[in-house]
Amino acid sequence: MHHPHDPADAVPPERTEPPNLGRLAATVDRLHGRILEAQRAAEGRALVEVAKGVLVERLQCSLAAAARQLATLAEQAGVTQLELAADIINQAAQDRISEAARDFLTSARSEGTAGESTEAAAGVAVRLRTAENGALTATDAQAVAQSLLEQALSALGATTVAIWEAGPDASLTLAGYAGLGDEEARRWRYVPPGVATPARRALLARGTVWLDDLAAVGLPSIGQHQTPGARATAPAGTGGRILGVLEIGWPQPMPRPDPRVVKQIEVLADLCARTFESAGQARDEPQVLPELIDLADALPDGALVLRPQLGTEGRITDFRIVHANARFADPAGRPRGEVVGSLFLEAYPLAADKGALLSRIEHVHATGETFRAEKMTVTALVGQIPLHTVAGVSVIRLGDGVLLIWRLQDQDAQLANLLQHAQRLGRIGGFEENLLTGEIVWNAQLYGLYGMAPDEPPIPLEQLAGHAHPDDAVTIGRFVRAVLHHRRPASTAYRLQRSDGTVRHIRVVAEPVFDDSGLLLAIRGAYQDISSQHWTEVALAATRDQLAHTEQQAAERNRLALQLQQAIMPPSREPLEAFDLQIAVRYRPAEKEHLVGGDWYDAVVLPSKQILLSVGDVAGHGIEAATGMVVLRNALRGLAATGAGPGQLLTWLNLVAHHLTANVTATAICGLLDPRTRVLRYARAGHLPPILVRDGRARELDMTQGLLLGAVAEVEYEERRVQLAPDDILLMYTDGLIERRGVNLHESQQRLLDTARQPAATLEQRLDHLLTHSNSDTDDDTCIIGARLQ
């Protein structure tokens, strides 16, 4: 059997490659180079023409005289006309690009000679101005990304660029990319809200984020396999609102650069913001504010519509209150007319504290991420006295406006209204019967339960049996005696016969009220209409047998799955010793029977005298997962007898999972250990990598490429080799050993490595130690295989 890439299978070059193909490729490369040179020359000429225009305006001369002046000044300064043009534009513009160039020049002077610093600063200015020209002339974000990479970022060693557009819900959409394949771009075309990526970090932090090593951090991101090194993400926005994120990738890890390089990246992000602004401004700005006002007026809670106020540098200094709906209640008691039109900090100056309401509003406006809090303190000044009010707060962005909603929690009227609603929804009516005066008080809900008019006299507790079904007379008599004679709280249920002929099922609760001397003063209580509950209980009784039968069937399925799992993999077994190799296994089933899963392990000596070590995890729980586990485990045993390598075995096993099972997907790792050479070959299908313990240190083996089993029909699995030494310990396990809610996988794996390096007298004791000290809390199955060389 030949490997798919065996040189023996290769076709001789002379039979597949036309004789002039090399010349044709060289011609294409040469023409492509000329096109790039022409583009750079055109962009350089554009900068020179802008500089000429500046000289015409400053010197009041003709265009020809400006051209001669530019050439003379460049010759006298010893620089090219392009470098001088960039410097002239910087001095005239006085923008962030000029600031970045000056910052680079100042820093460079402190590190090298004046000539070197001037040359470095000129190079930065030319790159940034050229990139600006490319961004301004580009037709879309895709062209902007290509221009940024070619004109500015490649000089910094970057190889990939991605431009993300931020949605109103804090989602990210890929707007442009460079240095990345089209297939990778299609996979990352949209990132939903809440998914942690480097770009989202910059969006939420509202600042540039630098990652020294993307692979070490463990965050998923576009191009992570192509550029697993350093990653820089910078928010792109104007007026305090983040419109997108610029993401730059390097192939190798890099420490955070000095601030002047970070400033260059932020300048380039500003250029990206211009693209989003020109694309979205026309559709967002004019009509959004009226829509936001209409939305605020339709809300049942108090709401304010805010619009950002920008300072001289284009940064947000405050928010203007442009509208307050009719249900808005100012905490300080001011009328709406005094609040609308004022700045937010003028109306609520204490909202500027760190972590207070204003910072939440700024974050929502910048990122589009909605903020909600059930209880938040809103503080207003009444004179010089701060008035604190607890409210439920929601902040939402729409276009460039912000909607602030708050629901006041501490008003007596609201609490009383809430109680009335609770009584009405619960169909509860209250009463009080004064035993000294004979006066009886009912609330409106109780009159409604009895179907009586409010002007009719209430019914005393002693006459309750006269309005109930005759069969309930004994029950009601016991209730009345307990309350009036024995003077203790009591409750009962009965059928109320109303004057309109309807029958309602009622529960009555009553308790006596005494004075300090023990004299019975009154009886207080409540009636509740439980008719719906009664008929629900009748319906439940009618279906109880059917539910019991269904539960019995489910229990039988769970027991069958558990028996099947335990028959294939008992919780423990005696260690296997062969060829100076000791193998031990441990299996810990889920504590709850209905969570029986599809974890499996296998360790067997093959006819080739090699030892098969495998661990897998079928997705899901129950009988389906258990039967899928049996199919894949037995199939892998049979396939391993062919003598194929781990990569080929997983390729075949993927075909079994995809075609011969009912929607089974699983992760697995397969290893073949040759006891003669002590070489381990292994491959993985979406599974966690093995752990090697050597000389008291534990590390994970290299992560091979391989998709989980059953996802797609055709998959190739990468195979790796590792040379084992005496006393080495190899560990394979399923994710039930380390999974923990609220803890990322990288942190859990590091904790496992710390536990695995702890010394143990025997291999079995080491596996027991791992199970005992595992920090998992998901109640999932767990399998571990340990192998130690003598």
Side-chain angles (χ1 to χ4, degrees):
M1 182 182 296
H2 290 296
H3 191 277
H5 302 293
D6 194 336
D9 296 331
V11 179
E14 59 270 18
R15 290 189 298 180
T16 61
E17 182 178 325
N20 292 325
L21 185 58
R23 295 182 181 178
L24 180 60
T27 301
V28 172
D29 289 341
R30 184 171 62 255
L31 293 176
H32 181 67
R34 289 181 179 177
I35 292 174
L36 292 179
E37 291 177 2
Q39 290 176 345
R40 295 189 184 99
E43 289 164 348
R45 286 194 298 272
L47 292 182
V48 171
E49 293 302 320
V50 173
K52 289 179 182 178
V54 173
L55 292 177
V56 168
E57 190 275 331
R58 295 289 175 86
L59 302 178
Q60 298 296 314
C61 62
S62 65
L63 187 61
R68 290 193 300 270
Q69 185 69 14
L70 183 65
T72 301
L73 293 174
E75 183 178 359
Q76 292 176 352
V79 297
T80 65
Q81 290 192 32
L82 182 59
E83 293 171 341
L84 182 60
D87 188 48
I88 292 174
I89 295 172
N90 284 342
Q91 301 225 356
Q94 294 296 316
D95 55 9
R96 290 204 68 190
I97 295 181
S98 311
E99 181 184 347
R102 287 197 306 271
D103 178 71
F104 195 99
L105 178 60
T106 303
S107 301
R109 281 173 175 166
S110 64
E111 299 173 4
T113 63
E116 292 172 346
S117 62
T118 303
E119 181 180 353
V124 171
V126 171
R127 286 203 311 269
L128 294 180
R129 286 300 176 189
T130 304
E132 179 191 34
N133 181 69
L136 292 176
T137 57
T139 57
D140 55 16
Q142 180 67 25
V144 172
Q146 195 70 38
S147 176
L148 293 183
L149 180 60
E150 292 178 357
Q151 305 299 338
L153 293 171
S154 59
L156 299 178
T159 56
T160 61
V161 171
I163 299 177
W164 303 93
E165 183 174 5
D169 57 351
S171 62
L172 293 171
T173 303
L174 186 63
Y177 59 93
L180 297 162
D182 294 338
E183 181 63 26
E184 180 75 357
R186 282 192 293 270
R187 289 179 57 244
W188 284 89
R189 66 185 180 277
Y190 176 75
V191 179
V195 178
T197 63
R200 185 170 302 285
R201 280 194 177 183
L203 177 65
L204 299 183
R206 292 186 282 165
T208 302
V209 174
W210 181 274
L211 302 177
D212 297 352
D213 188 353
L214 180 64
V217 175
L219 284 179
S221 185
I222 187 171
Q224 58 189 7
H225 301 298
Q226 180 179 345
T227 53
R231 196 62 65 99
T233 50
T238 57
R241 178 182 171 189
I242 299 177
L243 306 177
V245 177
L246 172 64
E247 181 170 352
I248 309 164
W250 283 263
Q252 302 298 331
M254 293 170 53
R256 184 180 179 89
D258 56 45
R260 60 190 183 184
V261 175
V262 175
K263 182 168 288 188
Q264 293 181 52
I265 294 173
E266 293 173 348
V267 167
L268 296 177
D270 287 346
L271 298 180
C272 298
R274 298 181 185 178
T275 303
F276 295 130
E277 190 177 26
S278 60
Q281 203 169 32
R283 68 173 182 266
D284 275 347
E285 298 296 338
Q287 72 273 22
V288 161
L289 206 56
E291 290 181 0
L292 204 55
I293 292 174
D294 292 341
L295 176 60
D297 289 337
L299 292 174
D301 299 309
L304 296 176
V305 177
L306 310 177
R307 186 173 57 191
Q309 289 290 115
L310 304 182
T312 55
E313 299 181 356
R315 299 180 182 275
I316 288 182
T317 58
D318 202 346
F319 287 84
R320 178 78 63 181
I321 301 175
V322 298
H323 180 71
N325 67 4
R327 284 158 294 283
F328 169 75
D330 179 57
R334 292 168 294 191
R336 284 193 303 151
E338 291 185 14
V339 177
V340 176
S342 63
L343 293 175
F344 191 76
L345 284 182
E346 291 178 356
Y348 308 103
L350 298 182
D353 293 343
K354 184 178 180 181
L357 187 55
L358 183 62
S359 64
R360 305 294 187 182
I361 296 173
E362 289 176 339
H363 182 82
V364 172
H365 179 265
T367 65
E369 185 182 32
T370 300
F371 171 76
R372 290 185 178 88
E374 291 299 325
K375 291 184 178 180
M376 188 174 186
T377 301
V378 180
T379 305
L381 285 178
V382 180
Q384 298 298 320
I385 302 175
L387 176 64
H388 305 288
T389 304
V390 178
V393 175
S394 299
V395 187
I396 304 168
R397 187 188 78 185
L398 182 61
D400 200 40
V402 175
L403 181 64
L404 171 62
I405 308 168
W406 60 38
R407 298 164 295 281
L408 299 181
Q409 302 288 323
D410 58 347
Q411 294 183 354
D412 294 338
Q414 289 182 334
L415 292 176
N417 188 43
L418 180 62
L419 179 60
Q420 291 178 2
H421 281 298
Q423 291 177 343
R424 179 179 57 82
L425 294 175
R427 301 183 64 81
I428 298 174
F431 72 93
E432 180 174 307
E433 187 171 337
N434 191 317
L435 299 181
L436 300 181
T437 64
E439 182 183 4
I440 301 174
V441 178
W442 281 11
N443 66 2
Q445 283 78 17
L446 186 51
Y447 277 103
L449 289 181
Y450 267 81
M452 297 169 55
D455 57 350
E456 294 185 63
I459 299 170
L461 207 59
E462 288 183 326
Q463 301 177 14
L464 186 61
H467 297 268
H469 192 280
D471 293 345
D472 297 331
V474 175
T475 302
I476 293 176
R478 292 172 183 168
F479 165 74
V480 173
R481 283 195 301 274
V483 175
L484 297 179
H485 179 67
H486 298 291
R487 300 183 178 186
R488 67 170 184 261
S491 66
T492 190
Y494 68 98
R495 285 164 288 182
L496 171 67
Q497 292 183 325
R498 303 199 323 181
S499 58
D500 58 5
T502 61
V503 176
R504 308 297 297 176
H505 291 263
I506 301 294
R507 177 173 296 279
V508 58
V509 180
E511 64 177 6
V513 180
F514 304 94
D515 64 6
D516 295 338
S517 62
L519 177 65
L520 180 61
L521 299 178
I523 301 295
R524 292 174 182 167
Y527 293 80
Q528 182 180 17
D529 188 344
I530 58 171
S531 301
S532 299
Q533 176 184 346
H534 170 77
W535 294 117
T536 300
E537 291 175 354
V538 172
L540 288 175
T543 58
R544 187 173 291 113
D545 291 341
Q546 181 179 356
L547 290 175
H549 179 65
T550 303
E551 291 175 356
Q552 183 179 3
Q553 286 184 324
E556 290 294 336
R557 286 172 59 87
N558 291 334
R559 281 194 293 270
L560 177 60
L562 184 60
Q563 291 171 358
L564 177 62
Q565 189 181 59
Q566 291 178 345
I568 299 298
M569 293 179 303
S572 63
R573 54 181 289 184
E574 294 299 320
L576 171 67
E577 294 190 5
F579 307 105
D580 296 330
L581 181 71
Q582 184 184 20
I583 301 174
V585 297
R586 287 291 183 271
Y587 172 69
R588 181 177 63 193
E591 294 183 8
K592 300 178 181 178
E593 290 188 359
H594 70 277
L595 292 179
V596 171
D599 289 21
W600 89 80
Y601 63 83
D602 204 2
V604 63
V605 179
L606 300 175
S608 62
K609 306 305 180 184
Q610 296 189 89
I611 299 173
L612 170 68
L613 302 173
S614 66
V615 167
D617 185 359
V618 174
H621 297 88
I623 189 66
E624 292 81 6
T627 54
M629 172 270 291
V630 174
V631 170
L632 296 184
R633 181 177 183 269
N634 292 342
L636 182 58
R637 269 199 172 191
L639 293 171
T642 63
Q648 183 62 58
L649 290 177
L650 289 184
T651 299
W652 289 337
L653 193 62
N654 177 69
L655 293 175
V656 173
H658 188 76
H659 294 290
L660 303 182
T661 60
N663 301 321
V664 169
T665 57
T667 66
I669 186 162
C670 176
L672 288 177
L673 177 61
D674 190 335
R676 295 167 299 177
T677 62
R678 296 187 171 183
V679 171
L680 173 71
R681 293 183 295 158
Y682 67 95
R684 56 180 287 276
H687 202 83
L688 298 169
I691 293 176
L692 179 63
V693 182
R694 174 179 292 173
D695 298 332
R697 294 188 296 272
R699 68 177 180 88
E700 291 182 344
L701 297 184
D702 294 339
M703 185 83 77
T704 60
Q705 300 296 324
L707 194 63
L708 79 164
L709 301 173
V712 296
E714 300 292 335
V715 183
E716 290 187 1
Y717 293 92
E718 181 184 2
E719 186 176 304
R720 294 284 178 90
R721 295 170 178 256
V722 60
Q723 178 68 56
L724 300 182
D727 293 329
D728 279 358
I729 297 175
L730 182 71
L731 300 172
M732 295 180 178
Y733 60 96
T734 57
D735 55 10
L737 185 66
I738 64 173
E739 278 189 338
R740 186 168 181 84
R741 298 179 183 90
V743 179
N744 63 57
L745 185 59
H746 177 74
E747 183 178 339
S748 297
Q749 288 174 290
Q750 187 60 49
R751 180 183 177 89
L752 177 62
L753 291 176
D754 294 338
T755 307
R757 67 169 60 99
Q758 301 298 322
T762 66
L763 180 60
E764 290 187 287
Q765 290 178 359
R766 184 180 294 272
L767 298 190
D768 291 335
H769 182 77
L770 287 175
L771 281 177
T772 302
H773 293 85
S774 67
N775 202 28
S776 63
D777 63 355
T778 57
D779 193 24
D780 198 1
D781 293 10
T782 300
C783 292
I784 312 177
I785 288 183
R788 181 171 64 184
L789 291 177
Q790 303 295 333

